[in-house]
Amino acid sequence: MNVARILNVKGNNVIHVAPDMPLAELVTILRDKRIGAVIVSSDGRHIEGILSERDVVHRLADRGPALLEHTVASIMVKPVITCGVEDTVAEIMGKMTQRRFRHMPVVDDQGLLCGMISIGDVVKARLDEIESEAESLREYIAS
């Protein structure tokens, strides 16, 4: 199973925000869209950074409520670790676990944004893969 198959199931819609967006606005988007991270991009294709709920909470604890008046660019994470559509679920699980993040942008051959996957997507894909293997084994044994 690879990233392309995950995107075929979940779609490739990615919420992105401009680097100059106020953090207070970003927090509202995260809540309203019920998402855990956004891509920071001026054009929706070139990745400038990424920002998760966790990043916002950590910076808020460090800097206090005045942080919400700052821009997304002031705390976005960069460089951004990405994956490609041909990367396997096992590779992605390893990267996400090792680096302790839950969202990974997917880029095409030119490095342009073409999707976003979460650890939930990856775990679901892996569980589906295991279930398929188990069903194949059951059928093999029964025949």
Side-chain angles (χ1 to χ4, degrees):
M1 168 98 49
N2 64 16
V3 172
R5 286 189 56 193
I6 294 173
L7 291 179
N8 284 340
V9 172
K10 81 168 278 191
N12 60 355
N13 185 32
V14 179
I15 305 295
H16 69 278
V17 300
D20 60 350
M21 175 181 279
L23 283 167
E25 219 175 296
L26 169 76
V27 170
T28 301
I29 289 171
L30 291 172
R31 182 201 61 205
D32 292 350
K33 300 284 186 185
R34 302 189 63 168
I35 55 176
V38 296
I39 297 298
V40 182
S41 174
S42 298
D43 64 5
R45 295 287 284 156
H46 294 88
I47 301 171
E48 297 169 47
I50 190 168
L51 199 51
S52 72
E53 294 170 315
R54 182 181 291 169
D55 298 324
V56 174
V57 169
H58 285 215
R59 298 316 176 289
L60 195 55
D62 293 341
R63 300 182 193 171
L67 176 74
L68 295 176
E69 298 170 17
H70 293 256
T71 64
V72 168
S74 68
I75 68 165
M76 70 183 181
V77 175
K78 60 181 184 178
V80 179
I81 297 168
T82 62
C83 65
V85 293
E86 296 302 320
D87 290 350
T88 67
V89 169
E91 291 169 335
I92 301 307
M93 284 182 101
K95 281 184 185 179
M96 289 177 141
T97 302
Q98 180 183 37
R99 297 183 182 240
R100 301 184 52 78
F101 56 79
R102 297 174 291 167
H103 300 88
M104 184 179 280
V106 182
V107 296
D108 63 18
D109 294 339
Q110 288 78 42
L112 300 176
L113 182 65
C114 66
M116 174 98 99
I117 58 173
S118 71
I119 191 66
D121 300 326
V122 174
V123 168
K124 181 184 180 316
R126 182 64 182 127
L127 290 174
D128 290 348
E129 194 174 48
I130 291 168
E131 181 57 38
S132 177
E133 290 170 3
E135 182 60 32
S136 294
L137 286 172
R138 282 191 287 272
E139 288 174 9
Y140 177 76
I141 291 170
S143 60

